[in-house]
Amino acid sequence: MFDIGWSEIIVVVIITILVVGPKELPGLLRTVGKTVGNVRRMAGDFQNQFNQALREAELDGVAETLNDVRNLNPRNAVKNAVSKQLGDLSEITDDVSKSMKDSTDEINSSLKDKPAAISSKPADEPSQAVEVEQAFAEENQDAEILDGDAADESAQPEDGVTKKAD
């Protein structure tokens, strides 16, 4: 570090003995030893405080990570990821509902036009007329089935048949 060799150390020791004297040399060495010990102790304390501060900083980072994990809500994470990929979900649902409504309107209009188209055509064969009548009868039966509960309650019992009480 300082590049001091043995020859330089011997020169310093000889000059110290000449300046201080042989009687005072043991007291001087004791004082120098205490001072060096105090400096080393202070350096060790500083290093320990520095290491403790680093550990606390790491623990604060770990504590922040634990708090983040505790506050983690998977639903929000998935929702944010999906909205990031697909855009706003309300736009998608609006598009789907609009397309469903358009399809429903188209189907309803084609069903309304179909009986008129069938009835406006002249029946070339008797089987076509029978098929049309069967289709209307099936539609009426479906309507009666749907309204069947109301029809059953309003029906009058036939003559000679008594209605059982539940």
Side-chain angles (χ1 to χ4, degrees):
M1 188 163 123
F2 289 112
D3 249 357
I4 298 176
W6 284 106
S7 59
E8 286 92 7
I9 292 175
I10 291 175
V11 172
V12 169
V13 168
I14 292 174
I15 292 174
T16 307
I17 290 174
L18 292 174
V19 173
V20 175
K23 283 185 177 181
E24 300 292 326
L25 189 60
L28 177 67
L29 291 176
R30 194 177 304 119
T31 306
V32 169
K34 286 182 181 180
T35 306
V36 169
N38 285 338
V39 169
R40 283 186 177 175
R41 196 175 309 115
M42 287 172 44
D45 288 342
F46 176 75
Q47 188 174 7
N48 287 337
Q49 288 178 354
F50 186 74
N51 288 338
Q52 184 180 4
L54 283 176
R55 277 184 257 131
E56 287 176 0
E58 289 175 4
L59 290 178
D60 288 342
V62 170
E64 285 180 19
T65 304
L66 286 176
N67 286 335
D68 291 344
V69 168
R70 285 182 189 137
N71 295 332
L72 180 67
N73 189 346
R75 249 189 255 157
N76 289 340
V78 169
K79 184 177 180 181
N80 291 339
V82 169
S83 65
K84 194 182 285 185
Q85 290 295 324
L86 299 176
D88 192 18
L89 294 177
S90 63
E91 292 176 4
I92 294 171
T93 56
D94 290 343
D95 291 343
V96 169
S97 63
K98 184 178 183 273
S99 64
M100 288 176 64
K101 184 178 181 203
D102 292 344
S103 299
T104 305
D105 291 343
E106 183 179 318
I107 290 170
N108 287 337
S109 66
S110 67
L111 288 176
K112 288 179 183 176
D113 293 342
K114 188 174 182 179
I118 292 173
S119 62
S120 65
K121 291 182 184 177
D124 294 336
E125 298 177 12
S127 64
Q128 284 182 342
V130 170
E131 288 177 9
V132 170
E133 287 178 18
Q134 287 176 349
F136 282 123
E138 287 176 4
E139 286 180 16
N140 289 337
Q141 285 178 353
D142 290 342
E144 287 176 6
I145 290 172
L146 291 176
D147 295 331
D149 293 337
D152 288 344
E153 292 174 2
S154 64
Q156 296 293 329
E158 296 180 16
D159 292 338
V161 178
T162 57
K163 195 173 187 181
K164 290 184 178 179
D166 290 336

